[in-house]
Every structure is written in C-alpha cells, then in structure tokens.
Amino acid sequence: MIIFDCDGVLVDSEILSNDIDAELMSAAGYPITAAALIRGYIGRPKAEIWAAIAEERGVPWPDGLLEKADALLLERIETDLQPVAGVAEALALIPGRKAVASSSALPKLRKALARCGLLEIFDPAVFSASQVAHGKPAPDVFLHAARECGVPAERCLVVEDSVAGVHAGLAAGMRVIGFTGGLHSYSGHAAALLAAGAVEIVTNMCDLSDMVSLQRP
C-alpha cells in the first residue's frame, strides 16, 4: 500500500496555511515569515506548531488566534487551493491500494481533498493525526492507516514532503520517498529529506509512478 501525506504532496496548501499563520503571528508581536515556518515546522499538527512557537516566544497567543487561522485557511481552501501539479495523472498510474495519512484535522483534510477532486480516489482510507494519540514525527497516524486498511506496516511505502513526516514513516517501519514538487519547496529541501532517511527524492509528479515501482515493498 502507498500512503500519501496530503499537504504539500497531494494539494498545494502549505503556501496558503503558512502565509496565514505568518501574518497572524507577526501581527500578534512575533515577526516570522512563511518561509521560516515552512523550513522549521511543516509536517507537524498545526496546534503543536503554534504551541511550540508560543513556548519559544514566552507569551501565549491571544485567545482565539489559532481558531482564526483555521477559519481563514478553510476560506482559502474554498477559493484558492489547487492540487499539486500532475497529481491526478500520477495517482492514476500507480496500481494497488492507496491511503492518506495527514497531520491536518480530518474535516480540513477531507475538504482539501474534495476541493481538488482527489477525495474519491482515497475514500474511505483518509486518516488524520487527530484520530491518534501523537502527531508526526511520531508514527501513530501511519500505523493507524496501515492497521485500518489491514496491511502490515512493512508492506507500506510513504510519500512525504517534510522531515517530521519522514521520521514518522521510518518510525512506523515503512520506507519513505521524499517529495519536493510542491509550491512551498525550499533550497535544501531535498537534502533535508534525504538526511532524515528518505530513500529517494521525487521533484515532479510525472516521475512518482516510476519511483513507486522501484521502491514498493
């Protein structure tokens, strides 16, 4: 089975999400760029990212700010979200079972996939870190996906765009392909995923089916 992360792998939501977060955090007195958030934090559940940065700044966020970020992102999903270029074509070329395992909350995850015309490809095998005890880089969501689909973890291959996601896949006993074809990809992205343990890097969706064929357990 092939397990896909969603944000930055299937849909180009990382740019939208981190732009919103950076703007709200900066307005609340913690100047930070979307690029810095992407480089340092992607792959983890949003609430954990906000909590970690609040601890760094030493001051809690204003009440309701995270909820405002979530609401703004849902609005942007409805109007601006696009699938990663070539993803539908790439998925059609990959045989066998497929699942999604994401750090996003389940309602947002399903909304994003539906907006991009991808939900029916995976449904009902769409899983969120909100369904397990610990988000990435813990392996919980990948193990949950494998268990719910009745597939041994060692028979799963993960496609991930974040260091946290690579660590989670490896901790679950799965091989991980790194993906750097999203709009949020940054200088050093591929090197960071390889250093985290990705077996190979795919930079364009048109190459994904061939790489899956080579790396499939």
Side-chain angles (χ1 to χ4, degrees):
M1 182 170 72
I2 315 302
I3 305 178
F4 294 82
D5 177 45
C6 182
D7 301 296
V9 173
L10 300 174
V11 305
D12 259 324
S13 52
E14 291 290 7
I15 288 290
L16 303 181
S17 180
N18 286 283
D19 278 348
I20 292 166
D21 290 355
E23 182 177 347
L24 292 178
M25 289 177 178
S26 297
Y30 189 78
I32 192 167
T33 64
L37 287 172
I38 287 167
R39 185 179 292 272
Y41 296 98
I42 62 166
R44 298 165 59 185
K46 190 181 186 78
E48 292 184 14
I49 294 172
W50 277 68
I53 296 175
E55 186 173 350
E56 289 176 17
R57 75 193 288 253
V59 180
W61 297 112
D63 289 345
L65 194 62
L66 175 56
E67 291 74 15
K68 182 178 181 180
D70 287 337
L72 288 171
L73 179 56
L74 288 176
E75 291 178 8
R76 294 288 300 277
I77 286 173
E78 289 282 6
T79 58
D80 299 341
L81 182 65
Q82 297 295 320
V84 167
V87 67
E89 295 82 357
L91 292 171
L93 293 173
I94 298 172
R97 301 183 69 179
K98 306 175 187 70
V100 175
S102 171
S103 292
S104 291
L106 195 57
K108 180 257 182 181
L109 172 59
R110 294 183 65 86
K111 190 182 195 72
L113 290 170
R115 156 75 185 179
C116 292
L118 302 175
L119 182 59
E120 63 183 17
I121 295 174
F122 296 98
D123 209 22
V126 177
F127 305 104
S128 164
S130 63
Q131 298 173 298
V132 296
H134 305 288
K136 302 172 188 177
D140 299 30
V141 70
F142 287 127
L143 292 173
H144 176 67
R147 184 168 54 249
E148 288 295 308
C149 293
V151 179
E154 64 271 18
R155 300 296 302 168
C156 296
L157 177 66
V158 169
V159 182
E160 262 287 354
D161 70 313
S162 72
V163 168
V166 173
H167 286 159
L170 294 176
M174 303 172 184
R175 302 186 84 186
V176 183
I177 293 173
F179 180 71
T180 60
L183 293 176
H184 66 293
S185 189
Y186 55 88
S187 176
H189 191 182
L193 297 181
L194 288 171
V199 292
E200 292 287 353
I201 299 295
V202 170
T203 61
N204 192 303
M205 272 293 168
C206 67
D207 299 320
L208 183 61
S209 61
D210 289 341
M211 186 62 68
V212 166
S213 296
L214 291 172
Q215 298 296 335
R216 188 187 289 270

